[in-house]
Amino acid sequence: MAATDVIAEAREYEKTWPGELCKGGGKRQSPIDIQTNDVVKDFEKLFIKNGSLKFIGYNRVLMTGVNNGHTIQLSTDGNEDMHPRVSGGPLKHSYRLEQLHFHWLSEHSINGIKYPMEIHFVHIRTDLKVAEALRRKDGLAIVAVFCNVQAELTDEQRESTEELMQYIPRLMSVGDSFSGLLLDLNKLLSPEKESYYTYLGSLTSPQCNEAVVWIILDKPIYITDAQYRLFGKVGIGRHNFRSLQPSRQRQVFVPPDSFLTTPRIIVVVVDTFNVVREFFRNVTRYIADSFS
Ligand SMILES: [Zn+2]
């Protein structure tokens, strides 16, 4: 199975989704391809009006993990007042973390290149209930973190993901779940939280509500090849990314002090291309064999 087949398969699957917004009727759908030459460094505070991003309470988070057949999702437990919060940057309000989940391959792409994985930290405006947040243009804030794959990790790279990855083997079958995980989510975010892309978009699954302020951290975290292969065996065994949506002249902003240097991006692209090619050779073959 080649990469183009997998993307065609994603498009075919999306035709079964309900609602106009999911079927091309929207104006600010996600995910999109981000062209780094077109992003606006927001010196004039056109969009990034609220200083630096602030992540509060991410260091000790009580969560429940579940395999729901589409992804592995970790939801925050306990009193909403105790949930981690994000504010600042493009966010006018404070947002509480509800859950995080995984997409493989990544949903967003940078200059047409996808990462092997993207993690979404889904936050709801603290002053709104979920149902109301889904109707507002800025009801949700989703922080996205790209995940890259290497055969061997440095100590620093391993440190950022091993705490979470140790639980993934316990969530391999649909319906698997367990509670009481105490995680330091700071480690998962990214080593550089002030280097990000931000734009107005939508949920990437039904009902595709156009209610999301996207914050996409620019620097990836890392997992091993062996860990990545586990995700290929989760649940229904298909990729779980939505296909790219038209950008429709939407502006993507970056903080004025972010360093989106070309050499770094080239390094990432070369790595990712090889990793993804490897992925399709190995994991996808596994999936095809297991489910055909
Ligand atoms: Zn997602």
Side-chain angles (χ1 to χ4, degrees):
M1 198 187 284
T4 47
D5 297 334
V6 175
I7 287 163
E9 182 189 278
R11 284 192 198 286
E12 201 55 37
Y13 176 65
E14 288 158 23
K15 286 181 186 163
T16 67
W17 286 5
E20 265 313 291
L21 286 175
C22 293
K23 287 189 186 341
K27 291 195 165 57
R28 43 172 275 196
Q29 289 291 295
S30 296
I32 57 170
D33 177 47
I34 295 168
Q35 290 288 322
T36 51
N37 282 339
D38 297 339
V39 301
V40 176
K41 274 211 169 195
D42 201 1
F43 290 102
E44 314 213 355
K45 300 188 179 174
L46 299 169
F47 192 70
I48 304 174
K49 300 177 179 180
N50 304 289
S52 59
L53 271 183
K54 291 172 214 46
F55 292 94
I56 297 163
Y58 280 71
N59 55 329
R60 270 173 69 85
V61 188
L62 189 61
M63 309 194 88
T64 294
V66 63
N67 177 331
N68 63 21
H70 299 286
T71 185
I72 287 175
Q73 180 169 311
L74 279 74
S75 303
T76 41
D77 281 336
N79 191 325
E80 278 181 3
D81 297 338
M82 304 292 285
H83 292 185
R85 283 157 194 243
V86 65
S87 61
L91 306 174
K92 255 182 260 167
H93 304 272
S94 175
Y95 293 73
R96 67 174 182 272
L97 182 68
E98 290 286 308
Q99 48 107 330
L100 64 90
H101 60 264
F102 301 80
H103 294 274
W104 58 91
L105 304 168
S106 71
E107 297 210 296
H108 290 88
S109 60
I110 308 294
N111 298 330
I113 304 293
K114 278 175 178 270
Y115 282 88
M117 187 175 283
E118 182 173 334
I119 307 176
H120 287 161
F121 294 73
V122 181
H123 305 75
I124 308 278
R125 253 172 68 174
T126 49
D127 58 331
L128 302 176
K129 297 286 176 211
V130 175
E132 196 187 355
L134 288 168
R135 292 195 294 269
R136 299 291 189 92
K137 66 180 189 340
D138 61 352
L140 286 82
I142 303 184
V143 176
V145 178
F146 291 123
C147 206
N148 221 339
V149 175
Q150 283 180 178
E152 299 285 335
L153 304 184
T154 65
D155 288 347
E156 198 181 343
Q157 288 166 345
R158 183 176 301 106
E159 162 83 357
S160 75
T161 51
E162 72 176 347
E163 188 172 298
L164 172 68
M165 288 305 152
Q166 64 177 312
Y167 297 113
I168 302 299
R170 297 206 231 165
L171 294 167
M172 293 305 292
S173 304
V174 178
D176 280 353
S177 79
F178 72 102
S179 317
L181 291 84
L182 193 60
L183 292 170
D184 182 352
L185 297 183
N186 262 324
K187 291 182 183 170
L188 272 186
L189 283 171
S190 173
E192 289 174 59
K193 300 179 189 64
E194 284 305 321
S195 188
Y196 60 85
Y197 306 98
T198 180
Y199 77 98
L200 293 175
S202 75
L203 295 180
T204 63
S205 58
Q207 303 284 332
C208 304
N209 307 58
E210 299 192 321
V212 181
V213 182
W214 280 96
I215 296 169
I216 300 161
L217 301 183
D218 171 48
K219 306 291 184 291
I221 58 172
Y222 291 85
I223 58 175
T224 64
D225 194 50
Q227 288 169 332
Y228 187 51
R229 278 159 211 248
L230 284 178
F231 286 91
K233 303 175 194 172
V234 162
I236 58 173
R238 64 183 297 283
H239 300 273
N240 60 2
F241 59 90
R242 187 188 190 192
S243 56
L244 290 167
Q245 304 296 306
S247 145
R248 298 189 199 281
Q249 271 79 54
R250 259 176 295 170
Q251 207 64 259
V252 176
F253 296 90
V254 299
D257 49 355
S258 64
F259 296 100
L260 310 169
T261 53
T262 306
R264 278 196 238 181
I265 283 168
I266 285 173
V267 169
V268 168
V269 165
V270 169
D271 277 348
T272 308
F273 181 75
N274 286 325
V275 166
V276 170
R277 200 174 49 186
E278 213 28 46
F279 174 91
F280 285 115
R281 259 212 298 273
N282 299 320
V283 181
T284 314
R285 180 176 302 147
Y286 172 86
I287 293 166
D289 291 348
S290 309
F291 291 85
S292 56

